[in-house]
Amino acid sequence: MRERLEQQVSFLLEVDKMKKIYRQTHILGKDRAENDAEHSWHLALMAFLLAEYANEQVDVAKVMKMVLVHDLVEIDAGDTYAYDEAGNASKRQRELQAAERIFGLLPGEQGQELRALWDEFEEYETPEAKYAHTLDNFQPLLLNNANGGGDWKDHQVRKSQIYKRNAKTGEGSREIWEYMAELIDGNIMAGNIEEA
């Protein structure tokens, strides 16, 4: 029993490193970049609060777990900016290696459960995974919009890039995607997102 507890504690200390993985998205007010732990917490809260907008009935507790673990791999793989073509080319391989190591820190069945949640998120097939992806795309867009579109401006993000990244977002929630599209259009009109 003590060995099991020590494995769990080791995992919990390891995943504390998420607080040091900074994203391109800034917190509200643009004081600093958001970290992965803050992003995951925000998604978990959104999963509960916005579940009524999911296209299909979802297991909210499962979605919350999924979004809490979906970026744990970034402890090893790092955060890859959504519009970084070179970084995204190697992202899958880096994250698979990280998943093996990080989820392997836990006792067998717990590691397998979290790895299965991560795999389900990555495969993007179940209603829970589709809804989780919608939230994962919505949250940074929401913050960026609230911050006056600065992150899009700084990175010279184009409309075509945003629409490519969000090609499947409506599969999780049509209503949330429609809301997102309105925010995108407003930022194009404001000059924060390039039209092309």
Short mmCIF file of all heavy atoms in Angstrom, two decimals, residues 108-136:
data_model
loop_
_atom_site.label_atom_id
_atom_site.label_comp_id
_atom_site.label_asym_id
_atom_site.label_seq_id
_atom_site.Cartn_x
_atom_site.Cartn_y
_atom_site.Cartn_z
N GLY A 108 -0.43 0.81 -12.11
CA GLY A 108 -0.94 0.27 -13.36
C GLY A 108 -2.30 0.72 -13.83
O GLY A 108 -2.43 1.35 -14.88
N GLU A 109 -3.35 0.42 -13.05
CA GLU A 109 -4.71 0.71 -13.53
C GLU A 109 -4.99 2.21 -13.60
O GLU A 109 -5.71 2.68 -14.47
CB GLU A 109 -5.76 -0.02 -12.70
CG GLU A 109 -6.18 0.62 -11.39
CD GLU A 109 -5.15 0.58 -10.26
OE1 GLU A 109 -4.13 -0.14 -10.39
OE2 GLU A 109 -5.37 1.27 -9.25
N GLN A 110 -4.39 3.00 -12.69
CA GLN A 110 -4.60 4.44 -12.75
C GLN A 110 -3.87 5.05 -13.95
O GLN A 110 -4.41 5.90 -14.65
CB GLN A 110 -4.14 5.12 -11.45
CG GLN A 110 -5.10 4.91 -10.32
CD GLN A 110 -4.72 5.72 -9.09
OE1 GLN A 110 -3.54 5.90 -8.79
NE2 GLN A 110 -5.72 6.22 -8.38
N GLY A 111 -2.67 4.58 -14.20
CA GLY A 111 -1.94 5.05 -15.37
C GLY A 111 -2.67 4.70 -16.65
O GLY A 111 -2.76 5.51 -17.57
N GLN A 112 -3.22 3.49 -16.69
CA GLN A 112 -3.98 3.06 -17.88
C GLN A 112 -5.25 3.89 -18.06
O GLN A 112 -5.62 4.24 -19.19
CB GLN A 112 -4.33 1.58 -17.76
CG GLN A 112 -3.12 0.67 -17.89
CD GLN A 112 -3.41 -0.76 -17.42
OE1 GLN A 112 -4.55 -1.12 -17.15
NE2 GLN A 112 -2.36 -1.56 -17.33
N GLU A 113 -5.92 4.22 -16.96
CA GLU A 113 -7.14 5.02 -17.05
C GLU A 113 -6.85 6.41 -17.60
O GLU A 113 -7.54 6.90 -18.51
CB GLU A 113 -7.81 5.15 -15.67
CG GLU A 113 -9.06 6.02 -15.70
CD GLU A 113 -9.65 6.31 -14.32
OE1 GLU A 113 -9.08 5.87 -13.30
OE2 GLU A 113 -10.69 7.01 -14.29
N LEU A 114 -5.80 7.06 -17.07
CA LEU A 114 -5.47 8.40 -17.55
C LEU A 114 -4.96 8.37 -18.98
O LEU A 114 -5.29 9.25 -19.78
CB LEU A 114 -4.47 9.08 -16.63
CG LEU A 114 -4.93 9.38 -15.20
CD1 LEU A 114 -3.96 10.32 -14.50
CD2 LEU A 114 -6.33 9.94 -15.14
N ARG A 115 -4.19 7.34 -19.31
CA ARG A 115 -3.70 7.21 -20.69
C ARG A 115 -4.88 6.99 -21.64
O ARG A 115 -4.91 7.55 -22.75
CB ARG A 115 -2.70 6.06 -20.79
CG ARG A 115 -2.22 5.74 -22.20
CD ARG A 115 -1.50 6.94 -22.84
NE ARG A 115 -1.26 6.74 -24.25
CZ ARG A 115 -0.13 6.31 -24.77
NH1 ARG A 115 0.91 6.03 -23.99
NH2 ARG A 115 -0.01 6.16 -26.07
N ALA A 116 -5.87 6.21 -21.23
CA ALA A 116 -7.04 5.97 -22.07
C ALA A 116 -7.82 7.27 -22.30
O ALA A 116 -8.31 7.52 -23.41
CB ALA A 116 -7.94 4.90 -21.44
N LEU A 117 -7.91 8.10 -21.27
CA LEU A 117 -8.57 9.40 -21.42
C LEU A 117 -7.80 10.29 -22.40
O LEU A 117 -8.39 10.96 -23.25
CB LEU A 117 -8.71 10.10 -20.07
CG LEU A 117 -9.76 9.56 -19.12
CD1 LEU A 117 -9.54 10.11 -17.71
CD2 LEU A 117 -11.16 9.89 -19.62
N TRP A 118 -6.49 10.28 -22.27
CA TRP A 118 -5.65 11.08 -23.17
C TRP A 118 -5.80 10.58 -24.62
O TRP A 118 -5.98 11.37 -25.55
CB TRP A 118 -4.19 11.03 -22.74
CG TRP A 118 -3.30 11.89 -23.59
CD1 TRP A 118 -3.16 13.24 -23.53
CD2 TRP A 118 -2.45 11.45 -24.64
NE1 TRP A 118 -2.26 13.67 -24.48
CE2 TRP A 118 -1.81 12.58 -25.18
CE3 TRP A 118 -2.16 10.20 -25.18
CZ2 TRP A 118 -0.91 12.51 -26.23
CZ3 TRP A 118 -1.25 10.12 -26.24
CH2 TRP A 118 -0.64 11.27 -26.75
N ASP A 119 -5.75 9.26 -24.79
CA ASP A 119 -5.90 8.67 -26.12
C ASP A 119 -7.27 9.01 -26.72
O ASP A 119 -7.37 9.35 -27.90
CB ASP A 119 -5.74 7.15 -26.08
CG ASP A 119 -4.28 6.71 -25.91
OD1 ASP A 119 -3.36 7.46 -26.31
OD2 ASP A 119 -4.07 5.60 -25.38
N GLU A 120 -8.31 8.92 -25.91
CA GLU A 120 -9.66 9.23 -26.38
C GLU A 120 -9.74 10.69 -26.84
O GLU A 120 -10.33 10.99 -27.89
CB GLU A 120 -10.67 8.96 -25.27
CG GLU A 120 -12.11 9.18 -25.69
CD GLU A 120 -13.12 8.83 -24.60
OE1 GLU A 120 -12.77 8.10 -23.65
OE2 GLU A 120 -14.27 9.30 -24.72
N PHE A 121 -9.15 11.59 -26.08
CA PHE A 121 -9.12 13.00 -26.47
C PHE A 121 -8.41 13.15 -27.81
O PHE A 121 -8.91 13.82 -28.72
CB PHE A 121 -8.41 13.84 -25.40
CG PHE A 121 -8.27 15.29 -25.75
CD1 PHE A 121 -9.31 16.17 -25.51
CD2 PHE A 121 -7.10 15.78 -26.32
CE1 PHE A 121 -9.19 17.53 -25.83
CE2 PHE A 121 -6.97 17.12 -26.65
CZ PHE A 121 -8.02 18.00 -26.40
N GLU A 122 -7.26 12.51 -27.95
CA GLU A 122 -6.47 12.62 -29.18
C GLU A 122 -7.18 12.03 -30.39
O GLU A 122 -7.04 12.54 -31.50
CB GLU A 122 -5.11 11.93 -28.98
CG GLU A 122 -4.19 12.65 -28.02
CD GLU A 122 -3.76 14.01 -28.53
OE1 GLU A 122 -3.30 14.11 -29.68
OE2 GLU A 122 -3.89 14.99 -27.77
N GLU A 123 -7.96 10.98 -30.18
CA GLU A 123 -8.64 10.31 -31.30
C GLU A 123 -9.86 11.08 -31.80
O GLU A 123 -10.30 10.87 -32.93
CB GLU A 123 -9.02 8.88 -30.90
CG GLU A 123 -7.79 7.98 -30.77
CD GLU A 123 -8.04 6.72 -29.97
OE1 GLU A 123 -9.21 6.44 -29.60
OE2 GLU A 123 -7.06 5.99 -29.71
N TYR A 124 -10.44 11.95 -30.96
CA TYR A 124 -11.47 12.89 -31.40
C TYR A 124 -12.70 12.18 -31.99
O TYR A 124 -13.26 12.64 -32.98
CB TYR A 124 -10.85 13.81 -32.47
CG TYR A 124 -11.42 15.20 -32.57
CD1 TYR A 124 -10.61 16.30 -32.41
CD2 TYR A 124 -12.76 15.43 -32.86
CE1 TYR A 124 -11.10 17.60 -32.54
CE2 TYR A 124 -13.27 16.71 -32.99
CZ TYR A 124 -12.43 17.79 -32.83
OH TYR A 124 -12.92 19.06 -32.96
N GLU A 125 -13.12 11.08 -31.41
CA GLU A 125 -14.24 10.32 -31.98
C GLU A 125 -15.49 10.29 -31.11
O GLU A 125 -16.60 10.28 -31.64
CB GLU A 125 -13.80 8.90 -32.31
CG GLU A 125 -12.77 8.84 -33.43
CD GLU A 125 -12.26 7.45 -33.71
OE1 GLU A 125 -12.72 6.49 -33.04
OE2 GLU A 125 -11.41 7.32 -34.60
N THR A 126 -15.34 10.26 -29.81
CA THR A 126 -16.50 10.14 -28.92
C THR A 126 -17.14 11.51 -28.69
O THR A 126 -16.48 12.55 -28.88
CB THR A 126 -16.08 9.54 -27.56
OG1 THR A 126 -15.18 10.46 -26.91
CG2 THR A 126 -15.42 8.18 -27.72
N PRO A 127 -18.40 11.53 -28.26
CA PRO A 127 -19.02 12.83 -27.94
C PRO A 127 -18.21 13.60 -26.89
O PRO A 127 -18.08 14.83 -26.99
CB PRO A 127 -20.40 12.44 -27.40
CG PRO A 127 -20.70 11.13 -28.04
CD PRO A 127 -19.36 10.42 -28.15
N GLU A 128 -17.66 12.89 -25.91
CA GLU A 128 -16.86 13.55 -24.86
C GLU A 128 -15.61 14.19 -25.44
O GLU A 128 -15.26 15.32 -25.11
CB GLU A 128 -16.50 12.56 -23.75
CG GLU A 128 -17.64 12.19 -22.84
CD GLU A 128 -18.61 11.16 -23.43
OE1 GLU A 128 -18.29 10.54 -24.46
OE2 GLU A 128 -19.69 10.97 -22.84
N ALA A 129 -14.92 13.47 -26.32
CA ALA A 129 -13.69 14.00 -26.93
C ALA A 129 -14.00 15.20 -27.83
O ALA A 129 -13.27 16.20 -27.83
CB ALA A 129 -12.97 12.92 -27.71
N LYS A 130 -15.08 15.12 -28.57
CA LYS A 130 -15.46 16.23 -29.46
C LYS A 130 -15.80 17.48 -28.65
O LYS A 130 -15.37 18.59 -28.99
CB LYS A 130 -16.62 15.82 -30.35
CG LYS A 130 -16.24 14.79 -31.39
CD LYS A 130 -17.44 14.32 -32.19
CE LYS A 130 -17.04 13.24 -33.18
NZ LYS A 130 -18.20 12.77 -33.96
N TYR A 131 -16.55 17.28 -27.58
CA TYR A 131 -16.90 18.42 -26.72
C TYR A 131 -15.65 18.99 -26.04
O TYR A 131 -15.45 20.21 -25.98
CB TYR A 131 -17.94 17.97 -25.69
CG TYR A 131 -18.34 19.00 -24.67
CD1 TYR A 131 -18.80 20.26 -25.04
CD2 TYR A 131 -18.26 18.71 -23.31
CE1 TYR A 131 -19.16 21.20 -24.09
CE2 TYR A 131 -18.63 19.65 -22.35
CZ TYR A 131 -19.07 20.89 -22.75
OH TYR A 131 -19.43 21.82 -21.81
N ALA A 132 -14.76 18.10 -25.56
CA ALA A 132 -13.52 18.55 -24.92
C ALA A 132 -12.67 19.37 -25.90
O ALA A 132 -12.11 20.40 -25.53
CB ALA A 132 -12.73 17.35 -24.40
N HIS A 133 -12.60 18.94 -27.15
CA HIS A 133 -11.85 19.70 -28.16
C HIS A 133 -12.48 21.06 -28.43
O HIS A 133 -11.76 22.05 -28.62
CB HIS A 133 -11.75 18.91 -29.47
CG HIS A 133 -10.56 18.02 -29.53
ND1 HIS A 133 -9.30 18.47 -29.87
CD2 HIS A 133 -10.42 16.69 -29.30
CE1 HIS A 133 -8.45 17.48 -29.84
NE2 HIS A 133 -9.10 16.38 -29.50
N THR A 134 -13.80 21.09 -28.46
CA THR A 134 -14.47 22.38 -28.64
C THR A 134 -14.04 23.35 -27.55
O THR A 134 -13.68 24.50 -27.82
CB THR A 134 -16.00 22.21 -28.62
OG1 THR A 134 -16.39 21.41 -29.75
CG2 THR A 134 -16.73 23.54 -28.67
N LEU A 135 -14.05 22.88 -26.31
CA LEU A 135 -13.64 23.73 -25.19
C LEU A 135 -12.18 24.12 -25.29
O LEU A 135 -11.81 25.27 -25.00
CB LEU A 135 -13.92 23.02 -23.87
CG LEU A 135 -15.37 22.62 -23.61
CD1 LEU A 135 -15.49 21.84 -22.30
CD2 LEU A 135 -16.29 23.85 -23.60
N ASP A 136 -11.33 23.18 -25.71
CA ASP A 136 -9.90 23.44 -25.83
C ASP A 136 -9.62 24.51 -26.88
O ASP A 136 -8.65 25.26 -26.76
CB ASP A 136 -9.18 22.13 -26.18
CG ASP A 136 -7.68 22.22 -26.02
OD1 ASP A 136 -7.19 22.93 -25.12
OD2 ASP A 136 -6.96 21.56 -26.82
#
